[in-house]
Amino acid sequence: MKYVSLVFLLIFLSCKTDSQKTIDFFSKTVNPENVTIIRDNFGVPHIYGKTDADAVFGLLYAQCEDDFNRVEQNYIWAIGRLAEVEGEKAIYSDLRAKLFMTVKEAKANYEKSPMWLKELCNAFADGINYYLHKHPEVKPKLLTKFEPWMPMYFSEGSIGGDIERISTKKIEAFYNSWMELPETEMLEINKKQEMAEPQGSNGIALSGDVTKSGNAMLLINPHTSFFFRGEVHVVSEEGLNAYGAVTWGQFFVYQGFNEKTGWMHTSTYTDVMDEYLETIIKVEGTYLYKYGEELRPVEESEIVLKYKDGNAVKEKIFPKYKTHHGPITHRVNGQWTASAMMWNPVNALKQSFIRTKQSDYKGFREMMDIRTNSSNNTVYADAAGNIAYFHGNFIPKRDTTFNFTKPVDGSNPKTDWNGLHTVDENILLLNPKNGWLQNCNSTPYTAALEFSPKKEVYPNYMSIDRENFRGVHAINLLKGKKDISIDGLIELAHDPYLPAFKALIPGLVEAYYKRPDRNSKLQGAIDVLAKWDFKTGKESVAMTLAHFYGTKYYKEGNYEKGMTPMERVVYWGNESPKEERLRMFELALDKLIADFGTWKIPWGDVNRYQRLTGDIRQPFNDEKPSIPVGFASGRWGALAAYGARYDNNTKKIYGTRGNSFVAVVEFGKKVKAKSMLAGGQSGNPKSPHFNDQAQRYVNVLFKDISFYKEDVLKNAKRTYKLGE
């Protein structure tokens, strides 16, 4: 018997060794046997690793289990290979990526990274590759092997970050025909962007002075496209213990908390990108650009891009031009124009990971001094009771005699950036006396009412003083509020009042009632609006009428050039021609009657949640099951934003972005938190966690977060080691 047992043992060890030999790990330190994943009752992965690298390995493995499709898609886009999947239409997205960094440059950045960061990048690639090795049934669209340099393209947290603000249409016009983008096409693009659901997020921090428990609290409320981030908990024996939202394919918790600190990012109005008009001269076939009294050579190289054409793969070769300001991306008034932005992937990755391990304000503040979190503001709270707001992080110093909101003269050395502002020089708010602060992509100068930063102290380029209806709404809810609990903060974050309609609708009602020759067709609908309290809800007919009226005004209404979205709504409600208001309302009514046979339709019958497939671009179908939703667009001042895409060929409205991952966190001796996801953790329609949070999401029924190991084990539904 001993001999037989020994044979079986040798066979087992031999099989295990052979299995490990089939995959070459980049990392020399990661051991899959050191990684345990515990899935809770909502499918949220709690990843435990011996080292940070082990934990990152497990984190990427778990993400691939939940939605490999989105992990792969994010890297196909980020590294500039989208056209190989989507065809030639995507080639200028790829060109944009390569203008800012080639694969060779990405590899060089990886090589110059500190060893601890290289190990995390290695673990990132190993985790995904190990998943593909273990799941041969999964067929990638393009990327069959992930590499450690890939995170260099995807380093700052936001999926696109600053680079998405570089227009691919302008790049196409320049590199395809050496022309500027026609003004008519630019106007059309701008109009389409205006109609899209406003992008951004809400962050609210409360000190113990205004909470029921006396502990600091944080609202983490990103507004992203649905299913854009997964919910994770990642722990190591090297001090990592972070819970929150991770963008698919990234190895750090982007918006979340640990036991002592919490961080929430909102898109910033800080000016972090500039355009430089270059004076180009061609001498003996070489491009030169003027800089002061010098003529400097333009850096020239070639970019070879592949694209799918039917069943074939073809290539296009593009030139790449670059000055010390940045790559040439387009023309302005006939001049080549270079785009300057933060591109420091090594430090951006360092900051993104280091942020998750800070235990107090001092450490968090020191981490912010890396200054590569360029596209975001940060709302902060901690267990010591501190609350803080950092408006921006990467802010170049500029000569304020120039207007950097427009392209500047690249030949004048005075327009160059002169280093970066320190964190102390940036707009910073710490422990305001009112006990709360907020940012809803609104002006920082109202973040804490009278205790807010003062505009006159800072250069204009640090922030535009632009308010929005979400900011107004948050301030009105927080003003004078006391004894706020976790559930109270959830209720506050889902308050149904819509201040935009308080500005818009009374002017319409007045325009109708004051007319001697009233259109009887409008009477009933106007009467409904006249009695409305400006609160959204599934049963509200007034909400349906107001949404369709406001949307029609956004599409076709007139306004003075330069007006902000908030200023436009106020203008349409108070100063626009009364005849125009009534005409817009009649058109909105006609649309409702044409689509639904009546204008008397409750909001929940029109505004729906539907998730049919795991596709990145969701399909919608009026004939298939969906859930009524009472939330409204952030455009109208809804904190719990629920925005739609309008090119679905459907009559009903289906949510696509807004509240996605939401969490409320209370710090104290022990951290307490609740969270919610739109839909569920998994992108697989066959998974029980594909849509298990959908009804809870609509009903604002948050789940308790299991943060401590004993609670994780109580709610464990599946536990597995990756090395087994």
Side-chain angles (χ1 to χ4, degrees):
M1 282 297 292
K2 289 181 179 179
Y3 175 76
V4 173
S5 299
L6 180 60
V7 169
F8 277 116
L9 177 61
L10 290 171
I11 291 172
F12 172 76
L13 291 173
S14 174
C15 290
K16 185 176 179 183
T17 303
D18 289 344
S19 174
Q20 288 182 340
K21 282 180 180 176
T22 59
I23 179 169
D24 280 332
F25 288 131
F26 291 105
S27 174
K28 305 305 178 190
T29 62
V30 162
N31 184 352
E33 295 179 358
N34 290 336
V35 182
T36 299
I37 299 176
I38 302 174
R39 296 275 182 176
D40 67 21
N41 45 344
F42 288 95
V44 175
H46 302 259
I47 300 111
Y48 294 87
K50 187 174 181 63
T51 66
D52 286 350
D54 289 335
V56 164
F57 179 94
L59 173 60
L60 269 298
Y61 187 96
Q63 286 184 56
C64 291
E65 287 184 303
D66 288 333
D67 208 327
F68 174 77
N69 183 30
R70 280 180 166 79
V71 171
E72 184 190 20
Q73 179 71 13
N74 283 348
Y75 280 93
I76 290 172
W77 172 84
I79 67 177
R81 296 186 65 184
L82 194 60
E84 294 177 55
V85 175
E86 297 186 359
E88 192 174 6
K89 66 181 181 180
I91 204 162
Y92 293 99
S93 172
D94 294 346
L95 180 58
R96 177 177 63 183
K98 302 297 189 186
L99 285 174
F100 282 91
M101 187 165 66
T102 64
V103 170
K104 182 179 179 181
E105 290 166 335
K107 290 179 178 178
N109 275 294
Y110 163 76
E111 291 297 340
K112 74 178 184 182
S113 298
M115 185 52 67
W116 69 266
L117 184 58
K118 289 175 78 171
E119 276 300 321
L120 297 187
C121 290
N122 293 342
F124 147 85
D126 289 339
I128 303 175
N129 293 332
Y130 189 63
Y131 168 80
L132 291 174
H133 167 66
K134 287 286 192 178
H135 297 81
E137 75 281 3
V138 174
K139 304 300 180 187
K141 287 178 287 191
L142 182 68
L143 303 177
T144 56
K145 184 179 182 181
F146 284 72
E147 302 277 353
W149 49 263
M150 289 179 175
M152 296 296 154
Y153 275 99
F154 199 32
S155 57
E156 197 246 333
S158 298
I159 179 171
D162 299 326
I163 198 170
E164 280 200 313
R165 292 160 61 183
I166 305 290
S167 167
T168 56
K169 287 293 185 182
K170 289 182 178 180
I171 289 173
E172 180 179 1
F174 181 79
Y175 282 97
N176 193 37
S177 58
W178 306 107
M179 301 292 289
E180 290 179 49
L181 189 67
E183 187 176 354
T184 53
E185 192 171 345
M186 198 67 232
L187 290 172
E188 186 179 329
I189 291 169
N190 291 340
K191 189 68 177 177
K192 188 175 180 180
Q193 289 174 343
E194 287 172 4
M195 286 308 303
E197 172 68 10
Q199 298 186 27
S201 306
N202 304 328
I204 294 175
L206 309 175
S207 79
D209 293 339
V210 298
T211 64
K212 193 171 185 178
S213 64
N215 297 321
M217 292 170 58
L218 180 67
L219 170 70
I220 299 171
N221 186 194
H223 293 164
T224 65
S225 53
F226 291 163
F227 328 123
F228 175 75
R229 293 195 175 108
E231 183 172 350
V232 300
H233 182 200
V234 58
V235 185
S236 82
E237 295 176 22
E238 294 183 331
L240 177 65
N241 189 1
Y243 193 109
V246 61
T247 305
W248 298 110
Q250 293 186 317
F251 60 72
F252 48 85
V253 171
Y254 180 55
Q255 289 156 318
F257 62 96
N258 57 41
E259 189 176 26
K260 299 297 184 183
T261 65
W263 57 96
M264 167 62 206
H265 300 304
T266 64
S267 300
T268 187
Y269 287 147
T270 305
D271 183 2
V272 298
M273 299 172 64
D274 288 316
E275 294 182 348
Y276 287 88
L277 301 172
E278 306 291 17
T279 303
I280 303 293
I281 300 169
K282 195 170 187 179
V283 178
E284 297 180 353
T286 300
Y287 288 109
L288 306 172
Y289 69 102
K290 187 179 178 185
Y291 184 68
E293 301 300 317
E294 301 176 55
L295 282 177
R296 293 184 171 185
V298 175
E299 291 182 41
E300 297 184 54
S301 57
E302 279 189 348
I303 296 173
V304 180
L305 296 175
K306 295 179 180 180
Y307 65 95
K308 187 174 75 171
D309 185 8
N311 293 325
V313 176
K314 297 182 178 179
E315 287 186 352
K316 270 194 172 183
I317 299 175
F318 294 92
K320 176 180 178 179
Y321 302 111
K322 187 177 182 181
T323 72
H324 73 284
H325 296 122
I328 303 297
T329 54
H330 60 292
R331 283 182 186 265
V332 174
N333 298 326
Q335 283 186 265
W336 288 19
T337 304
S339 293
M341 68 180 189
M342 190 280 292
W343 198 265
N344 187 352
V346 174
N347 280 334
L349 275 175
K350 286 169 61 177
Q351 182 167 1
S352 294
F353 191 80
I354 289 170
R355 178 169 54 230
T356 65
K357 297 182 72 172
Q358 298 312 301
S359 61
D360 56 23
Y361 178 76
K362 180 178 181 291
F364 198 91
R365 163 68 183 72
E366 288 173 358
M367 171 277 303
M368 290 294 284
D369 205 41
I370 300 174
R371 291 176 286 174
T372 52
N373 186 22
S374 61
S375 63
N376 295 302
N377 311 311
T378 303
V379 178
Y380 168 90
D382 68 27
N386 296 302
I387 61 173
Y389 173 65
F390 302 84
H391 190 81
N393 185 238
F394 169 93
I395 307 177
K397 292 182 179 179
R398 304 169 175 96
D399 185 332
T400 55
T401 60
F402 298 96
N403 181 5
F404 283 90
T405 64
K406 296 180 179 180
V408 294
D409 181 6
S411 70
N412 187 344
K414 291 182 179 179
T415 64
D416 273 10
W417 293 351
N418 187 25
L420 298 178
H421 285 281
T422 65
V423 174
D424 286 334
E425 291 171 342
N426 294 355
I427 299 173
L428 175 61
L429 181 59
L430 176 64
N431 295 328
K433 292 181 180 178
N434 58 328
W436 58 263
L437 56 84
Q438 60 79 33
N439 184 261
C440 301
N441 313 114
S442 43
T443 170
Y445 307 125
T446 59
L449 281 184
E450 68 268 31
F451 303 106
S452 304
K454 306 305 178 189
K455 181 180 179 180
E456 59 272 15
V457 176
Y458 302 98
N460 287 336
Y461 56 72
M462 280 200 173
S463 180
I464 51 177
D465 190 13
R466 180 187 293 174
E467 191 57 276
N468 64 38
F469 284 114
R470 282 187 292 119
V472 169
H473 193 181
I475 290 167
N476 287 336
L477 290 170
L478 290 164
K479 213 165 24 178
K481 196 87 169 175
K482 296 283 186 182
D483 297 325
I484 303 172
S485 64
I486 278 189
D487 290 334
L489 183 53
I490 292 171
E491 184 179 353
L492 183 149
H494 290 78
D495 183 80
Y497 181 74
L498 301 175
F501 288 133
K502 176 66 168 69
L504 182 67
I505 297 302
L508 169 66
V509 173
E510 179 191 35
Y512 180 77
Y513 284 153
K514 286 192 173 180
R515 278 188 75 91
D517 54 338
R518 296 177 192 168
N519 182 349
S520 59
K521 173 184 171 182
L522 309 183
Q523 178 79 52
I526 292 289
D527 289 346
V528 168
L529 288 173
K531 299 172 185 175
W532 190 33
D533 59 3
F534 311 114
K535 292 182 179 180
T536 186
K538 286 184 283 190
E539 306 304 323
S540 175
V541 173
M543 177 63 217
T544 306
L545 293 168
H547 176 86
F548 276 75
Y549 171 58
T551 302
K552 175 59 70 173
Y553 238 131
Y554 257 96
K555 284 182 178 178
E556 300 178 21
N558 297 307
Y559 56 89
E560 292 181 19
K561 188 176 181 180
M563 280 186 169
T564 67
M566 182 172 172
E567 288 168 342
R568 289 178 215 170
V569 173
V570 172
Y571 169 76
W572 292 329
N574 295 279
E575 299 176 49
S576 64
K578 292 182 174 61
E579 295 78 11
E580 182 182 84
R581 300 178 209 173
L582 295 172
R583 179 172 61 83
M584 291 291 180
F585 187 66
E586 185 172 3
L587 290 171
L589 224 57
D590 289 344
K591 171 71 173 169
L592 282 168
I593 293 168
D595 285 352
F596 303 105
T598 177
W599 57 261
K600 299 176 183 178
I601 183 165
W603 180 232
D605 289 2
V606 179
N607 195 45
R608 313 290 289 186
Y609 171 91
Q610 187 179 73
R611 192 182 193 188
L612 301 174
T613 73
D615 295 353
I616 290 168
R617 182 179 173 86
Q618 292 287 297
F620 298 105
N621 190 326
D622 285 340
E623 303 303 315
K624 294 191 176 181
S626 60
I627 301 173
V629 178
F631 307 147
S633 167
R635 189 188 307 282
W636 315 129
L639 294 179
Y642 191 81
R645 195 177 68 220
Y646 288 95
D647 57 351
N648 304 322
N649 296 317
T650 61
K651 293 178 180 178
K652 295 177 182 178
I653 299 169
Y654 296 95
T656 56
R657 69 172 302 120
N659 270 24
S660 45
F661 168 80
V662 189
V664 287
V665 188
E666 180 183 313
F667 295 96
K669 289 183 179 179
K670 296 187 77 173
V671 67
K672 300 176 185 176
K674 295 186 177 187
S675 70
M676 177 175 66
L677 271 179
Q681 179 71 18
S682 175
N684 181 358
K686 295 180 181 179
S687 167
H689 305 299
F690 178 69
N691 236 9
D692 59 335
Q693 294 184 59
Q695 194 62 59
R696 298 175 69 97
Y697 171 86
V698 169
N699 294 343
V700 196
L701 184 59
F702 278 54
K703 61 186 183 291
D704 291 324
I705 285 176
S706 300
F707 184 80
Y708 295 97
K709 188 70 173 282
E710 59 267 28
D711 297 320
V712 173
L713 293 173
K714 283 178 189 174
N715 293 307
K717 294 299 179 185
R718 182 185 170 213
T719 301
Y720 49 106
K721 282 185 178 292
L722 294 191
E724 293 177 350

